[in-house]
Protein backbone atom coordinates (compact mmCIF):
# COMPACT_ATOMS: atom_id res chain seq x y z
CA UNK A 1 0.00 0.00 0.00
CA UNK A 2 1.39 3.37 -0.94
CA UNK A 3 1.30 6.37 1.35
CA UNK A 4 0.64 9.79 -0.21
CA UNK A 5 3.52 12.26 0.04
CA UNK A 6 1.27 15.01 1.34
CA UNK A 7 -1.90 14.55 3.40
CA UNK A 8 -3.92 16.62 0.92
CA UNK A 9 -2.51 14.99 -2.22
CA UNK A 10 -4.75 12.64 -4.14
CA UNK A 11 -3.93 10.17 -6.83
CA UNK A 12 -5.30 11.28 -10.21
CA UNK A 13 -8.17 9.26 -11.58
CA UNK A 14 -7.29 7.17 -14.64
CA UNK A 15 -10.32 8.47 -16.58
CA UNK A 16 -12.23 11.68 -15.91
CA UNK A 17 -15.73 11.16 -14.60
CA UNK A 18 -18.54 12.42 -16.83
CA UNK A 19 -20.73 15.24 -15.60
CA UNK A 20 -24.07 14.11 -14.19
CA UNK A 21 -26.91 14.36 -16.66
CA UNK A 22 -30.62 13.73 -16.79
CA UNK A 23 -30.18 10.86 -19.26
CA UNK A 24 -30.38 7.30 -17.96
CA UNK A 25 -27.03 5.70 -17.23
CA UNK A 26 -25.66 3.39 -19.89
CA UNK A 27 -24.09 0.12 -18.89
CA UNK A 28 -20.37 0.66 -18.37
CA UNK A 29 -17.78 -1.40 -20.15
CA UNK A 30 -14.88 -2.80 -18.18
CA UNK A 31 -11.76 -0.61 -18.12
CA UNK A 32 -9.80 -3.32 -19.98
CA UNK A 33 -11.67 -2.45 -23.21
CA UNK A 34 -10.12 1.01 -23.33
CA UNK A 35 -6.67 1.34 -24.78
CA UNK A 36 -5.04 4.75 -24.95
CA UNK A 37 -2.24 5.17 -27.46
CA UNK A 38 -0.30 8.41 -27.49
CA UNK A 39 2.50 8.96 -29.96
CA UNK A 40 4.92 11.86 -30.01
CA UNK A 41 4.79 14.10 -33.08
CA UNK A 42 8.08 12.79 -34.44
CA UNK A 43 6.84 9.19 -34.44
CA UNK A 44 4.62 10.12 -37.39
CA UNK A 45 6.81 12.82 -38.96
CA UNK A 46 10.05 10.81 -39.33
CA UNK A 47 8.56 7.91 -41.32
CA UNK A 48 6.71 10.39 -43.54
CA UNK A 49 9.90 12.36 -44.24
CA UNK A 50 11.86 9.16 -44.93
CA UNK A 51 9.16 7.94 -47.31
CA UNK A 52 9.14 11.27 -49.16
CA UNK A 53 12.94 11.25 -49.48
CA UNK A 54 12.96 7.70 -50.86
CA UNK A 55 10.16 8.54 -53.25
CA UNK A 56 12.11 11.55 -54.54
CA UNK A 57 15.18 9.38 -55.09
CA UNK A 58 13.15 6.86 -57.07
CA UNK A 59 11.43 9.54 -59.14
CA UNK A 60 14.65 11.22 -60.30
CA UNK A 61 17.34 8.56 -60.89
CA UNK A 62 18.72 10.44 -63.95
CA UNK A 63 20.53 12.95 -61.76
CA UNK A 64 22.65 10.29 -60.06
CA UNK A 65 26.29 10.17 -61.15
CA UNK A 66 28.56 7.16 -60.97
CA UNK A 67 31.81 7.44 -59.06
CA UNK A 68 34.87 7.41 -61.32
CA UNK A 69 37.52 6.44 -58.76
CA UNK A 70 37.71 3.15 -56.88
CA UNK A 71 36.26 3.46 -53.41
CA UNK A 72 38.75 3.46 -50.55
CA UNK A 73 37.03 0.53 -48.86
CA UNK A 74 37.42 -1.59 -51.97
CA UNK A 75 41.14 -0.77 -52.16
CA UNK A 76 41.58 -1.65 -48.49
CA UNK A 77 39.86 -5.02 -48.92
CA UNK A 78 41.89 -5.75 -52.05
CA UNK A 79 45.20 -5.01 -50.29
CA UNK A 80 44.17 -7.02 -47.23
CA UNK A 81 43.36 -10.04 -49.39
CA UNK A 82 46.64 -9.62 -51.26
CA UNK A 83 48.60 -9.57 -47.97
CA UNK A 84 46.73 -12.61 -46.62
CA UNK A 85 47.31 -14.65 -49.78
CA UNK A 86 51.14 -14.40 -49.52
Amino acid sequence: MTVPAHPRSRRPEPFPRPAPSSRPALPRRPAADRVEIRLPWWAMALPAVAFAALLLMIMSPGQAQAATADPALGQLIERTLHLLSR
Side-chain angles (χ1 to χ4, degrees):
M1 183 171 165
T2 61
V3 178
H6 190 272
R8 287 188 231 156
S9 66
R10 292 185 340 149
R11 296 175 71 190
E13 294 183 18
F15 301 104
R17 293 185 181 205
S21 65
S22 60
R23 291 185 280 174
L26 297 173
R28 296 185 111 186
R29 293 183 182 173
D33 287 350
R34 297 181 193 175
V35 176
E36 222 176 283
I37 299 173
R38 292 187 181 191
L39 292 174
W41 66 268
W42 51 264
M44 291 299 290
L46 287 180
V49 169
F51 177 77
L54 290 173
L55 188 63
L56 284 174
M57 284 193 283
I58 291 172
M59 297 290 284
S60 58
Q63 296 176 358
Q65 297 176 0
T68 56
D70 290 335
L73 182 61
Q75 290 176 358
L76 178 66
I77 292 172
E78 183 180 334
R79 289 183 186 184
T80 306
L81 290 175
H82 181 69
L83 287 173
L84 291 175
S85 64
R86 284 186 181 181

